[in-house]
Amino acid sequence: MHFGIVITNAHCRIEHQMSREEVQEKYGLPKKFPKLNRKQMEAKKTRSKGES
């Protein structure tokens, strides 16, 4: 499983010996997640605890 913003053609060739399209067809797209800075992560934790 991959987590990341960009999976390059070079990575696919080196690690999987396939083109990016072949990797995508076989494994699907990489999992995406938002990039939060420390302040945003703290605010999210605070909101999830029910604090204002």
Side-chain angles (χ1 to χ4, degrees), residues 8-44:
T8 65
N9 284 323
H11 164 83
C12 294
R13 281 280 171 220
I14 293 167
E15 295 297 321
H16 305 289
Q17 296 77 44
M18 296 185 220
S19 71
R20 190 168 193 269
E21 292 75 24
E22 290 170 322
V23 171
Q24 183 176 338
E25 190 176 302
K26 185 171 182 176
Y27 299 109
L29 295 171
K31 303 293 181 194
K32 294 182 181 180
F33 60 95
K35 258 179 90 172
L36 302 177
N37 63 34
R38 180 176 284 179
K39 188 175 182 180
Q40 291 169 322
M41 290 188 327
E42 290 300 321
K44 189 176 178 180

